[in-house]
């Protein structure tokens, strides 16, 4: 499995280095394919909850007659839904391993990277537990929420803590990053490990601590058209739109996502 | 003879939809049996995560049922027999947790008993007690969602009670507490038993309120339904195996108690 991820990332990176620069200069004009119309359903990672509807609005404006519907959840849930035959056109996950699960199940061809995210610590307003950094999370009596390791934000949190040599005993392992955020905002936990983009999306409703780049972990987001998509033309158009257009990439930047290449 | 003539008169327009309904209810469970990873079933259900979740589920469902009994039986009596004003409204309010989505129950519980909840804040500030993310929180969530089942069943028992036995006990000099304990409770035992079984089964299956209010941590708040949901994200065959175990427990309990508690409810 490990080896396959590596190969998968290597191939994706190659494709990106080959096509990325070309695409960033010339907005692709898929002259051969007909203009997309109709409705598509996009299953997207919970951490894309805020940014994807904005991108979809821009997409629908560019291609009148298209409608984009969303299904947001933890990446692993989305993948299992698609493997079970959920009628979805596009899949966007918060990590490559989760996308690979869908690839190896034969449900999508390849996932291509479109964004990158890093981790941050979120605290309720006022930071009642006086969290000062990752090491504060291991202090006795500090209630910490993380994602379960089965979802990308949980795997990233685990890697982040391991990288910094911090041992944390979380009180809850939530099934998607938005649930961690909700527990932090409700003030029920003292801190939660979330993505920087989650912190940015809720603005002044919570406090946060950034983690320096050299100590941080990144996760990369792949997107793919589902093989059994009911509307393959629009599905491909949406995938291309998210990956290549300056407007979609600009929206992603505005919401705090970085370029994956 | 009666049976046979009744069978002969069974109208097809009831039989067909009735059998479809039965198939509809059984088919998903049967599908689990066909998809179960029988080869690794024992390994899966005896894994530490499954054992923790199972133990926690059994303990919390039982505690939730005890809590619901201790508090719910008096409330059922008040609603059924006290004649106090407002019992009609109380009866409707009791049904609310039954009808609202469990996740809404979880949100409501957070706002009441969370660390910043209207009552929870008092507990936290004065006693340092924090209910979310604790096993006690799981019990609370399960009791909130399952207690209405017990109250409804017991209330029905109280209502159908013939009060002449209690009056006789009172005229013989029994105190009201003695009468309640020695006469009333034994008379409603079948309804109480049925209510407790329903309450226990509902608590065992609770998911939404638990994960919203109590969170998800193995060994502390991760009950079987939460473990099933999480397994579904990583390995669906594990989810199937754990689901079967949970169903088997419910079926065994219901069958074991059927003759003693649930049947008599039909007559009461």
């Amino acid at each position: 499995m490990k080896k396959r991820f590596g190969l998968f990332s290597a191939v994706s990176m190659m494709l990106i280095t080959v096509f990325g620069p070309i695409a960033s200069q010339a907005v692709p004009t898929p002259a051969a394919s007909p203009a997309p119309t109709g409705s598509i359903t996009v299953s997207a990672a919970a951490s894309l909850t805020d940014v994807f509807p904005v991108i979809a609005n821009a997409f629908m404006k560019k291609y009148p007659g298209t409608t984009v519907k969303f299904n947001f959840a933890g990446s692993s849930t989305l993948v299992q839904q698609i493997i079970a035959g959920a009628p979805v056109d596009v899949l966007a996950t918060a990590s490559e391993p989760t996308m690979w699960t869908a690839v190896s199940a034969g449900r999508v061809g390849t996932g291509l990277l479109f964004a990158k995210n890093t981790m941050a610590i979120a605290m309720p307003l006022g930071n009642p537990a006086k969290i000062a950094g990752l090491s504060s999370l291991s202090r006795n009596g500090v209630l910490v929420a993380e994602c379960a390791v089965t979802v990308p934000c949980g795997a990233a949190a685990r890697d982040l803590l391991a990288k910094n040599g911090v041992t944390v005993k979380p009180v809850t392992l939530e099934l998607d990053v938005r649930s961690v955020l909700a527990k932090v905002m409700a003030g029920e936990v003292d801190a939660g490990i979330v993505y920087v983009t989650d912190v940015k999306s809720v603005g002044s409703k919570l406090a946060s601590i950034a983690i320096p780049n050299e100590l941080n972990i990144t996760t990369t987001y792949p997107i793919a058209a589902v093989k059994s998509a009911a509307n393959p033309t629009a599905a491909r158009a949406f995938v291309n739109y998210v990956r290549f257009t300056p407007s979609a990439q600009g929206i992603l930047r505005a919401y705090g996502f970085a370029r994956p290449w | 003879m009666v049976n046979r003539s009744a069978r002969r008169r069974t109208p097809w327009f009831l039989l067909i939809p009735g059998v479809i309904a039965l198939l509809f209810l059984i088919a998903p469970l049967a599908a689990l049996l066909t998809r179960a990873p029988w080869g690794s079933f024992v390994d899966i259900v005896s894994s530490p995560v499954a054992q923790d979740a199972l133990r926690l589920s059994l303990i919390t469902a039982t505690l939730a049922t005890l809590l619901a009994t201790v508090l719910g039986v008096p409330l059922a009596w008040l609603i059924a027999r006290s004649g106090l004003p407002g019992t009609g409204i109380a009866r409707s309010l009791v049904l609310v947790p039954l009808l609202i989505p469990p996740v809404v129950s979880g949100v409501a519980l957070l706002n009441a008993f969370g660390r910043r909840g209207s009552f929870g804040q008092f507990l936290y500030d004065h006693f340092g007690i924090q209910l979310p993310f604790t096993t006690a929180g799981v019990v609370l969530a399960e009791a909130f969602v399952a207690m209405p089942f017990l109250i409804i069943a017991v209330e029905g028992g109280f209502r159908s009670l013939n009060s002449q036995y209690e009056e006789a006990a009172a005229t013989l000099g029994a105190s009201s507490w003695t009468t309640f304990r020695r006469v009333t409770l034994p008379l409603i035992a079948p309804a109480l038993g049925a209510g407790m079984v329903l309450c226990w089964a509902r608590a065992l299956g609770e998911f939404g309120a638990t994960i919203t209010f109590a969170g998800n941590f193995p060994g502390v708040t991760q009950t079987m339904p939460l473990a099933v949901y999480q397994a579904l994200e990583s390995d669906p065959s594990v989810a199937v195996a754990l689901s079967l175990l949970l169903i088997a427990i419910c079926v065994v309990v219901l069958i074991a108690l059927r003759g003693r508690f649930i049947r008599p409810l039909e007559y009461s």
Side-chain angles (χ1 to χ4, degrees):
Chain A
M1 261 326 233
K2 200 91 200 159
K3 213 174 190 175
R4 283 159 132 189
F5 293 155
L7 180 67
F8 171 63
S9 329
V11 171
S12 335
M13 285 313 287
M14 246 167 60
L15 286 171
I16 284 154
T17 29
V18 174
F19 295 114
I22 302 169
S24 58
Q25 285 159 16
V27 177
T29 40
S33 55
T37 55
S39 162
I40 53 168
T41 302
V42 178
S43 275
S47 46
L48 298 167
T49 303
D50 295 298
V51 68
F52 257 33
V54 179
I55 294 178
N57 279 337
F59 175 80
M60 290 186 280
K61 204 167 277 176
K62 183 173 175 195
Y63 299 109
T66 57
T67 318
V68 181
K69 286 180 276 186
F70 286 109
N71 170 32
F72 291 111
S75 297
S76 321
T77 304
L78 300 174
V79 168
Q80 294 303 337
Q81 287 171 349
I82 287 175
I83 289 175
V88 172
D89 300 277
V90 175
L91 171 67
T93 63
S95 77
E96 293 168 71
T98 42
M99 179 60 82
W100 184 250
T101 308
V103 172
S104 59
R107 302 293 289 139
V108 304
T110 33
L112 298 174
L113 304 183
F114 69 94
K116 190 170 79 176
N117 215 341
T118 56
M119 310 309 285
I121 309 170
M123 293 90 65
L125 279 184
N127 189 9
K130 307 271 175 293
I131 304 295
L134 276 175
S135 55
S136 307
L137 302 184
S138 56
R139 215 167 61 215
N140 256 347
V142 172
L143 306 183
V144 180
E146 289 175 22
C147 290
V149 290
T150 47
V151 280
C153 58
R158 177 199 57 199
D159 294 348
L160 176 70
L161 294 170
K163 183 174 180 177
N164 290 275
V166 178
T167 310
V168 174
K169 194 164 185 321
V171 291
T172 183
L173 301 171
E174 300 287 321
L175 298 177
D176 68 62
V177 71
R178 288 290 156 149
S179 307
V180 174
L181 205 63
K183 295 273 190 319
V184 175
M185 285 202 286
E188 295 299 337
V189 291
D190 300 313
I193 300 179
V194 296
Y195 296 120
V196 287
T197 52
D198 295 306
V199 169
K200 207 174 155 92
S201 73
V202 294
S204 55
K205 287 187 211 133
L206 46 69
S208 69
I209 295 177
I211 299 162
N213 275 340
E214 65 274 16
L215 302 176
N216 214 328
I217 286 285
T218 61
T219 182
T220 40
Y221 288 60
I223 188 168
V226 178
K227 276 185 178 170
S228 58
N231 189 348
T233 309
R236 265 196 308 275
F238 186 76
V239 169
N240 286 333
Y241 187 82
V242 169
R243 294 200 62 228
F244 296 126
T245 61
S247 57
Q249 285 294 323
I251 294 167
L252 284 163
R253 289 309 91 71
Y255 278 79
F257 290 90
R259 260 178 215 289
W261 50 81
Chain B
M1 282 317 264
V2 176
N3 257 347
R4 186 176 296 171
S5 64
R7 197 181 303 157
R8 207 180 304 136
R9 274 189 279 111
T10 303
W12 62 268
F13 54 86
L14 295 185
L15 187 66
I16 292 173
V19 168
I20 291 174
L22 186 65
L23 287 177
F24 173 63
L25 293 176
I26 292 175
L29 308 182
L32 280 182
L33 289 173
T34 64
R35 293 288 179 86
W38 294 114
S40 51
F41 186 84
V42 173
D43 288 343
I44 292 171
V45 300
S46 59
S47 70
V49 169
Q51 290 290 307
D52 275 357
L54 181 61
R55 189 182 316 113
L56 191 69
S57 274
L58 296 177
I59 291 172
T60 54
T62 305
L63 290 175
T65 305
L66 291 177
L67 180 65
T69 307
V70 168
L71 300 178
V73 171
L75 177 57
W77 190 88
L78 291 175
I79 292 173
R81 310 189 68 191
S82 71
L84 290 174
T87 49
I89 293 170
R91 189 174 194 278
S92 308
L93 291 178
V94 161
L95 297 180
V96 171
L98 210 62
L99 305 176
I100 59 176
V103 61
V104 173
S105 298
V107 173
L109 284 166
L110 266 184
N111 281 282
F113 300 112
R115 199 158 61 147
R116 293 195 176 168
S118 32
F119 181 65
Q121 183 150 30
F122 172 81
L123 284 181
Y124 186 72
D125 291 348
H126 291 82
F127 305 102
I129 296 172
Q130 157 248 330
L131 290 166
F133 316 120
T134 63
T135 306
V138 177
V139 173
L140 219 59
E142 291 179 349
F144 183 79
V145 173
M147 187 160 23
F149 285 89
L150 180 126
I151 293 175
I152 290 173
V154 174
E155 193 219 345
F158 281 133
R159 276 191 195 283
S160 60
L161 211 55
N162 188 336
S163 58
Q164 70 186 35
Y165 299 107
E166 290 158 300
E167 281 157 16
T171 43
L172 291 173
S175 69
S176 56
W177 169 237
T178 308
T179 307
F180 182 76
R181 201 164 44 92
R182 302 288 296 273
V183 179
T184 316
L185 274 188
L187 283 172
I188 63 143
L192 179 61
M196 287 175 78
V197 170
L198 284 176
C199 178
W200 187 81
R202 178 67 188 86
L204 196 68
E206 216 304 309
F207 172 79
T210 307
I211 199 164
T212 310
F213 177 64
N216 175 48
F217 195 83
V220 183
T221 58
Q222 188 179 71
T223 55
M224 279 295 274
L226 275 60
V228 169
Y229 192 82
Q230 194 175 329
L232 199 54
E233 297 192 326
S234 48
D235 189 348
S237 66
V238 172
V240 170
L242 295 182
S243 300
L244 277 174
L245 182 62
L246 202 57
I247 292 171
I249 291 170
C250 281
V251 169
V252 165
V253 168
L254 286 174
I255 289 177
L257 297 176
R258 184 182 55 132
R260 292 183 62 182
F261 292 124
I262 294 177
R263 289 269 289 282
L265 183 67
E266 294 163 7
Y267 307 127
S268 66

